[in-house]
Amino acid sequence: MGNLAAAGFGALASLVVVALGAWLQAQRERRHWLRDQKLRGAVDYITSTRYLLSQYRKVGELGMDQDDRREWRNRMQTARSTLSLLCGARTVSLANDVARDLYALGPDSDEARKAAAEKAFQHLVWQLRKELGSPQLDE
């Protein structure tokens, strides 16, 4: 009888360990998936925003090829939506600040406005690095 109880206890303990391991693995995979999605959104947002910042400063919204501008703005908005869904409130707020400053830029913008847009962009990049756990912040 004692052997049967010990075998039952061993089987139950094995099931608990397997279930716990499966749960931990699922949590780990979810964290990796979430980080990958944030990273993709961040890269797309930074790339499209940097391009648009440069173009808006050089030629302004009206001086750009409108199809090209529309494509880049759509990429930016899709990435911004990803950031809004997956990132923290501080990151989302900074992404909104960058978008607001971007749309206010033009070739006739004063240096203060251009500097403000660039500063907002740099703050967003730093925040994204922080949220993604970049080792570059440790230096």
Side-chain angles (χ1 to χ4, degrees):
M1 188 70 147
N3 287 342
L4 187 58
F9 180 73
L12 181 61
S14 295
L15 285 174
V16 168
V17 168
V18 167
L20 182 62
W23 181 77
L24 289 172
Q25 179 66 22
Q27 294 294 77
R28 183 173 161 264
E29 287 177 12
R30 183 183 185 287
R31 278 193 317 274
H32 284 286
W33 177 87
L34 185 59
R35 185 179 186 286
D36 287 347
Q37 296 306 309
K38 284 181 182 182
L39 183 60
R40 283 189 188 118
V43 167
D44 286 347
Y45 194 78
I46 288 170
T47 302
S48 57
T49 304
R50 170 51 67 204
Y51 175 80
L52 288 169
L53 279 170
S54 297
Q55 291 302 308
Y56 276 46
R57 274 194 310 231
K58 286 183 203 170
V59 297
E61 183 177 347
L62 298 176
M64 293 176 69
D65 175 285
Q66 294 305 302
D67 290 333
D68 189 45
R69 183 183 71 82
R70 211 172 293 113
E71 180 184 331
W72 281 99
R73 283 185 65 176
N74 285 341
R75 284 182 62 188
M76 181 183 131
Q77 187 55 44
T78 300
R80 187 172 163 197
S81 296
T82 300
L83 296 180
S84 295
L85 289 170
L86 301 177
C87 293
R90 175 82 175 129
T91 302
V92 172
S93 176
L94 288 170
N96 292 336
D97 291 348
V98 168
R100 183 193 64 238
D101 289 347
L102 170 69
Y103 297 134
L105 277 183
D108 56 340
S109 295
D110 61 3
E111 288 303 314
R113 181 162 288 201
K114 291 177 183 178
E118 186 61 33
K119 185 175 181 180
F121 181 77
Q122 293 302 323
H123 281 267
L124 174 64
V125 170
W126 186 87
Q127 178 64 28
L128 285 166
R129 284 180 177 157
K130 181 179 173 187
E131 186 153 333
L132 291 166
S134 174
Q136 291 180 344
L137 297 177
D138 296 335
E139 295 174 354

